[in-house]
Amino acid sequence: MNNEALHAYLTEQVPDATFDTSGEWLNVQVSVAAFRPLTEKLKKELQFNFLFCLTCVDWKTHLTMVYHLRSTQEGHHLVVKVNLDTQQPQIHTVCDLWRTAEFHEREVYELFGVDFLHHPDLRLLILPDGWEGKNPLRKDFDDPVNMIKL
Amino acid sequence: MYQTTDILVNETHNDPMGQMVINVGPQHPATHGVLHLVITLNGETIQKVEPLLGYIHRSIEKMCESLTYRQFIYVTSRMDYLSSHINNHACALCVEKGLQVEVPERAQVIRVLMDELTRIASHELWWGAMAMDLGAFTPFFHAFRERETINDIMEETCGARLTMNYMVPGGVMHDIHPNFQKRVKDFLQLYKQKIHEYDELVTGNIIFQNRMKGVGYISPEDAISYGCSGPVARGSGVSCDVRKHFPYEIYDKLQFDEVLETAGDSFARYLVRVKEMHQSVRIVEQLIDNIPEGDFQAKTKAVLKLPKGEFYQRVETARGELGVYIVSEGGTTPYRIKFRSPGFSNLSILDHMTRGSKIGDLVAAMGTLDLVIPDIDR
């Protein structure tokens, strides 16, 4: 499926989605509410079976979840983005669709503080037990003892 | 053939359900680094394996946010230290994609040569360590004999044996050493004389085969769902070689095969890596006498500025698909950088693939995942 066909499909599924075609792959931005139904359709109808990158970007005013998807059968790519609130970031998990998300979401959970709803095992993965409060990959994170400023 | 004595029992306690929890690591020979596994057992049967990470987490992604596009590449040598050339390569390619720099052909050939030599060296180390995990010590020395030769070649040209930092945006840091071609050819000659020993020592050995066959089975669907890549996925018959599917540099002009095995067990993953070494030798042979003349580095500005936007580049490391995702705001440093490391995704399947098997098989299953802990922790 080429980018035009993907574009048409997504516009039909999520009418208020915004697109960015400047990069290598088609980027689609959807709302938190539209995200979960869309991912289910992407997995089942468009054979996006390989979630090869899951991460988050802190834009200070909001957080953006970024999902890089590929279909190993069809060969097409799609980048799905969802904006989240910085104070109470919440999004539905995708780890029942792509099992790799279980680890990746735990990583994002501790480093960005995003709460993944219905995740089966949302605990700290990398940070030491008892770590509370600030999330290290947020832009406002500050650790005067261990961080070396250039 | 179980080696329960291999497992360091730090603390044991029994609960009324007949379950026992034991800790493997964080310092244990079979984890090849500081990986901590909490294993729930019922008798000898594994019920759950939970990896605990972070013992060597250095927050490389955060560090990179304050380093320039020339500087951040050096940190990435410390991620997967067995394929530092390929890590550097991924970063250099990603920056070049943003800058739209054309890399001279000589640099491309040198890069691919270095990548493939690194792949051989990395698989050699894995092969020796894998045999050691299963109780044989001699193969380790055989593997290191050839690996040392590659390290010497790297040292001569790059000035380092492990953290090379040789690939920079635009090409390579400096030209190859005058002895490079001769020494690589000497290595190939030596390697071809010795390669049959590998099969004689381990591959054809019935004890190794019995310990690896049918152990740690991964189905193709699981391999894809868990995001596995590299030899782990190819052992389950999933075609995922980045060099074939999304070729970079000159890989599309080279003659080599993507190695696929369909059994999905530890032995299949073992065979994939051993056969990949032969393919890497093929690539090196095609290139070593055909390094074109010309510049080894494209002309780039002293201070690199990536345009505003997002750039993603993936390469095939010895462990699988490494992705570099750069979010740029147009400055001299990345706004956000994410390394999609192959080891992190490959580790996530460990629990799924070992549930229900015996504790003695855990090491045989984990060994063929080829985990490098700094790559997982980052």
Side-chain angles (χ1 to χ4, degrees):
Chain A
M1 196 180 242
N2 59 15
N3 278 359
E4 285 75 37
L6 266 178
H7 196 297
Y9 177 87
L10 290 164
T11 330
E12 195 184 313
Q13 296 295 333
V14 190
D16 60 346
T18 50
F19 295 90
D20 177 11
T21 49
S22 60
E24 192 179 355
W25 302 311
L26 181 68
N27 280 233
V28 61
Q29 180 129 26
V30 296
S31 65
V32 182
F35 171 71
R36 174 69 196 190
L38 177 68
T39 51
E40 281 169 17
K41 286 210 174 73
L42 290 176
K43 172 86 191 294
K44 289 189 184 86
E45 291 173 17
L46 297 189
Q47 284 87 43
F48 278 109
N49 54 357
F50 193 54
L51 176 71
F52 61 97
C53 188
L54 188 166
T55 190
C56 186
V57 184
D58 181 9
W59 291 104
K60 290 175 189 159
T61 51
H62 60 275
L63 297 172
T64 305
M65 287 297 300
V66 186
Y67 300 80
H68 285 79
L69 292 165
R70 174 167 107 219
S71 165
T72 53
Q73 296 129 342
E74 309 287 325
H76 47 231
H77 289 77
L78 181 68
V79 185
V80 181
K81 292 183 179 169
V82 186
N83 282 352
L84 302 176
D85 177 43
T86 33
Q87 296 306 318
Q88 278 217 321
Q90 281 186 333
I91 189 165
H92 200 295
T93 180
V94 291
C95 69
D96 49 333
L97 301 171
W98 299 283
R99 298 295 298 271
T100 182
E102 196 172 323
F103 260 42
H104 280 95
E105 285 180 351
R106 277 175 72 182
E107 193 188 11
V108 171
Y109 160 71
E110 61 188 351
L111 299 178
F112 287 93
V114 177
D115 187 10
F116 291 93
L117 303 172
H118 306 291
H119 188 288
D121 192 19
L122 202 60
R123 290 179 293 121
L124 295 177
L125 179 69
I126 290 167
L127 297 175
D129 287 345
W131 182 281
E132 275 175 26
K134 298 243 172 167
N135 307 102
L137 275 182
R138 289 272 189 112
K139 290 287 177 187
D140 60 0
F141 177 80
D142 194 27
D143 182 349
V145 181
N146 297 310
M147 259 168 80
I148 300 164
K149 293 250 169 69
L150 291 176
Chain B
M1 200 161 290
Y2 306 123
Q3 295 186 330
T4 38
T5 48
D6 272 1
I7 308 299
L8 184 74
V9 181
N10 289 337
E11 87 183 34
T12 58
H13 66 266
N14 291 297
D15 72 3
M17 298 299 285
Q19 287 184 337
M20 180 161 63
V21 177
I22 66 167
N23 288 285
V24 177
Q27 277 292 357
H28 185 271
T31 56
H32 305 290
V34 272
L35 175 68
H36 183 180
L37 300 176
V38 181
I39 306 170
T40 311
L41 290 170
N42 189 344
E44 270 195 286
T45 310
I46 297 171
Q47 293 191 322
K48 194 179 165 200
V49 180
E50 191 197 335
L52 299 182
L53 308 176
Y55 288 93
I56 39 172
H57 186 68
R58 294 143 293 176
S59 207
I60 284 180
E61 288 172 14
K62 183 88 176 174
M63 280 159 77
C64 289
E65 284 175 13
S66 57
L67 297 173
T68 68
Y69 290 111
R70 284 201 190 281
Q71 292 169 331
F72 88 96
I73 291 176
Y74 301 94
V75 189
T76 61
S77 297
R78 277 84 182 164
M79 291 196 315
D80 178 353
Y81 54 86
L82 293 177
S83 53
S84 51
H85 265 313
I86 313 181
N87 297 345
N88 298 159
H89 197 169
C91 301
L93 280 171
C94 198
V95 174
E96 282 154 13
K97 192 181 259 181
L99 294 171
Q100 294 182 322
V101 173
E102 190 71 29
V103 179
E105 209 179 334
R106 183 179 175 82
Q108 293 191 21
V109 172
I110 294 172
R111 281 175 169 190
V112 171
L113 271 170
M114 291 299 187
D115 278 7
E116 295 309 317
L117 286 172
T118 306
R119 199 181 313 278
I120 296 172
S122 174
H123 283 351
E124 296 263 12
L125 183 108
W126 161 81
W127 181 81
M130 177 72 207
M132 203 160 68
D133 285 351
L134 298 183
F137 210 82
T138 314
F140 195 73
F141 297 110
H142 285 257
F144 262 60
R145 179 185 58 196
E146 275 83 71
R147 187 172 172 272
E148 281 302 301
T149 321
I150 297 180
N151 278 355
D152 287 342
I153 294 170
M154 296 292 182
E155 189 179 12
E156 201 171 50
T157 288
C158 318
R161 293 166 71 84
L162 276 180
T163 50
M164 284 82 163
N165 307 322
Y166 183 58
M167 300 191 190
V168 293
V172 292
M173 188 172 273
H174 44 76
D175 213 347
I176 49 173
H177 193 274
N179 290 342
F180 179 76
Q181 278 164 296
K182 185 183 172 299
R183 290 191 69 166
V184 171
K185 278 187 266 186
D186 288 349
F187 163 75
L188 289 177
Q189 209 180 358
L190 168 92
Y191 191 74
K192 282 180 172 170
Q193 285 168 7
K194 305 286 185 190
I195 188 83
H196 65 94
E197 290 180 2
Y198 293 32
D199 292 340
E200 285 160 16
L201 265 169
V202 178
T203 315
N205 188 320
I206 194 74
I207 301 172
F208 284 108
Q209 288 194 6
N210 282 345
R211 286 211 56 191
M212 287 193 278
K213 278 186 180 169
V215 168
Y217 174 73
I218 304 175
S219 70
E221 294 76 28
D222 284 341
I224 293 170
S225 180
Y226 278 91
C228 294
S229 54
V232 177
R234 288 197 286 279
S236 300
V238 179
S239 169
C240 61
D241 196 327
V242 181
R243 295 173 295 172
K244 284 279 183 200
H245 288 269
F246 312 101
Y248 47 98
E249 307 289 23
I250 50 162
Y251 275 114
D252 48 347
K253 295 175 198 152
L254 295 170
Q255 303 288 319
F256 68 101
D257 300 326
E258 178 180 10
V259 184
L260 283 176
E261 291 284 332
T262 48
D265 59 1
S266 277
F267 193 61
R269 295 189 285 278
Y270 170 89
L271 286 177
V272 168
R273 290 206 181 84
V274 171
K275 288 179 185 172
E276 266 189 12
M277 287 198 256
H278 292 269
Q279 295 302 325
S280 293
V281 168
R282 251 178 96 184
I283 295 174
V284 174
E285 274 181 333
Q286 286 170 52
L287 293 175
I288 190 66
D289 280 322
N290 300 314
I291 304 178
E293 295 296 319
D295 293 334
F296 56 86
Q297 205 183 97
K299 284 200 167 50
T300 45
K301 285 180 183 158
V303 179
L304 302 177
K305 272 188 184 172
L306 254 65
K308 194 171 156 60
E310 293 172 10
F311 310 96
Y312 192 93
Q313 176 66 43
R314 55 195 153 190
V315 297
E316 182 77 16
T317 76
R319 260 146 287 278
E321 180 178 325
L322 170 73
V324 179
Y325 175 57
I326 296 180
V327 179
S328 168
E329 275 283 83
T332 55
T333 58
Y335 184 76
R336 163 98 174 101
I337 196 157
K338 157 84 183 168
F339 297 106
R340 182 257 187 239
S341 73
F344 189 76
S345 298
N346 289 351
L347 173 72
S348 68
I349 202 169
L350 180 67
D351 178 41
H352 180 76
M353 73 194 270
T354 52
R355 268 189 198 200
S357 60
K358 298 279 189 284
I359 179 130
D361 291 340
L362 176 73
V363 173
M366 194 167 67
T368 49
L369 290 181
D370 195 9
L371 303 173
V372 169
I373 312 304
D375 181 41
I376 296 165
D377 275 0
R378 282 160 286 137

Short mmCIF file of all heavy atoms in Angstrom, two decimals, chain B residues 3 38 137 160 162 184 187 191-192 237 248 293 297:
data_model
loop_
_atom_site.label_atom_id
_atom_site.label_comp_id
_atom_site.label_asym_id
_atom_site.label_seq_id
_atom_site.Cartn_x
_atom_site.Cartn_y
_atom_site.Cartn_z
N GLN B 3 22.64 -28.36 33.97
CA GLN B 3 23.74 -27.91 34.81
C GLN B 3 23.20 -26.95 35.85
O GLN B 3 23.41 -25.74 35.77
CB GLN B 3 24.80 -27.23 33.96
CG GLN B 3 25.45 -28.20 33.01
CD GLN B 3 26.60 -27.55 32.28
OE1 GLN B 3 26.60 -26.35 32.05
NE2 GLN B 3 27.59 -28.33 31.93
N VAL B 38 15.24 -12.78 37.63
CA VAL B 38 14.51 -13.38 38.76
C VAL B 38 13.66 -14.50 38.18
O VAL B 38 12.75 -14.26 37.38
CB VAL B 38 13.63 -12.34 39.47
CG1 VAL B 38 12.91 -12.98 40.64
CG2 VAL B 38 14.47 -11.18 39.95
N PHE B 137 35.16 -25.23 27.19
CA PHE B 137 36.01 -24.04 27.32
C PHE B 137 36.89 -23.83 26.09
O PHE B 137 37.18 -22.70 25.72
CB PHE B 137 36.88 -24.16 28.58
CG PHE B 137 37.20 -22.84 29.17
CD1 PHE B 137 36.28 -22.20 30.00
CD2 PHE B 137 38.39 -22.21 28.90
CE1 PHE B 137 36.55 -20.97 30.53
CE2 PHE B 137 38.67 -20.96 29.43
CZ PHE B 137 37.75 -20.35 30.25
N ALA B 160 41.98 1.95 17.87
CA ALA B 160 41.32 1.37 19.03
C ALA B 160 40.89 -0.05 18.69
O ALA B 160 40.69 -0.38 17.52
CB ALA B 160 40.11 2.20 19.45
N LEU B 162 38.24 -1.72 20.47
CA LEU B 162 36.81 -1.94 20.68
C LEU B 162 35.98 -0.71 20.35
O LEU B 162 35.03 -0.77 19.59
CB LEU B 162 36.55 -2.35 22.13
CG LEU B 162 36.73 -3.84 22.46
CD1 LEU B 162 36.44 -4.06 23.92
CD2 LEU B 162 35.81 -4.70 21.62
N VAL B 184 44.17 -7.79 5.99
CA VAL B 184 42.84 -8.39 5.87
C VAL B 184 42.92 -9.66 5.01
O VAL B 184 42.31 -10.68 5.33
CB VAL B 184 41.83 -7.39 5.28
CG1 VAL B 184 40.51 -8.07 4.95
CG2 VAL B 184 41.58 -6.26 6.27
N PHE B 187 44.31 -12.34 6.97
CA PHE B 187 43.30 -12.84 7.90
C PHE B 187 42.35 -13.81 7.21
O PHE B 187 42.03 -14.87 7.73
CB PHE B 187 42.51 -11.67 8.51
CG PHE B 187 41.22 -12.10 9.14
CD1 PHE B 187 41.21 -12.76 10.35
CD2 PHE B 187 40.01 -11.89 8.50
CE1 PHE B 187 40.02 -13.19 10.91
CE2 PHE B 187 38.83 -12.31 9.06
CZ PHE B 187 38.83 -12.96 10.26
N TYR B 191 41.65 -17.49 8.23
CA TYR B 191 40.29 -17.82 8.65
C TYR B 191 39.76 -19.04 7.90
O TYR B 191 39.13 -19.92 8.47
CB TYR B 191 39.40 -16.60 8.40
CG TYR B 191 38.04 -16.68 9.01
CD1 TYR B 191 37.87 -16.55 10.37
CD2 TYR B 191 36.93 -16.90 8.21
CE1 TYR B 191 36.62 -16.62 10.93
CE2 TYR B 191 35.67 -16.96 8.77
CZ TYR B 191 35.52 -16.83 10.13
OH TYR B 191 34.29 -16.90 10.68
N LYS B 192 40.05 -19.09 6.60
CA LYS B 192 39.55 -20.21 5.79
C LYS B 192 40.21 -21.52 6.18
O LYS B 192 39.62 -22.58 6.02
CB LYS B 192 39.79 -19.91 4.32
CG LYS B 192 38.77 -18.95 3.77
CD LYS B 192 39.02 -18.69 2.34
CE LYS B 192 37.92 -17.89 1.72
NZ LYS B 192 38.31 -17.45 0.38
N GLY B 237 12.83 -18.05 10.66
CA GLY B 237 12.38 -17.95 9.28
C GLY B 237 11.80 -16.61 8.89
O GLY B 237 11.15 -16.50 7.87
N TYR B 248 21.64 0.11 2.50
CA TYR B 248 22.34 1.38 2.65
C TYR B 248 23.73 1.19 2.08
O TYR B 248 24.15 0.07 1.83
CB TYR B 248 22.38 1.81 4.12
CG TYR B 248 22.79 0.72 5.09
CD1 TYR B 248 24.11 0.63 5.55
CD2 TYR B 248 21.87 -0.23 5.53
CE1 TYR B 248 24.48 -0.38 6.43
CE2 TYR B 248 22.24 -1.24 6.39
CZ TYR B 248 23.55 -1.31 6.85
OH TYR B 248 23.93 -2.31 7.70
N GLU B 293 39.78 4.54 -5.50
CA GLU B 293 40.59 5.70 -5.10
C GLU B 293 39.67 6.89 -4.87
O GLU B 293 38.52 6.90 -5.30
CB GLU B 293 41.60 6.02 -6.20
CG GLU B 293 42.65 4.95 -6.43
CD GLU B 293 43.55 4.73 -5.23
OE1 GLU B 293 43.95 5.74 -4.59
OE2 GLU B 293 43.83 3.57 -4.88
N GLN B 297 36.50 11.21 2.88
CA GLN B 297 35.51 11.99 3.63
C GLN B 297 34.96 13.10 2.73
O GLN B 297 35.72 13.73 2.00
CB GLN B 297 36.19 12.59 4.85
CG GLN B 297 35.24 12.91 5.99
CD GLN B 297 35.95 13.58 7.15
OE1 GLN B 297 35.95 14.78 7.26
NE2 GLN B 297 36.57 12.78 8.02
#
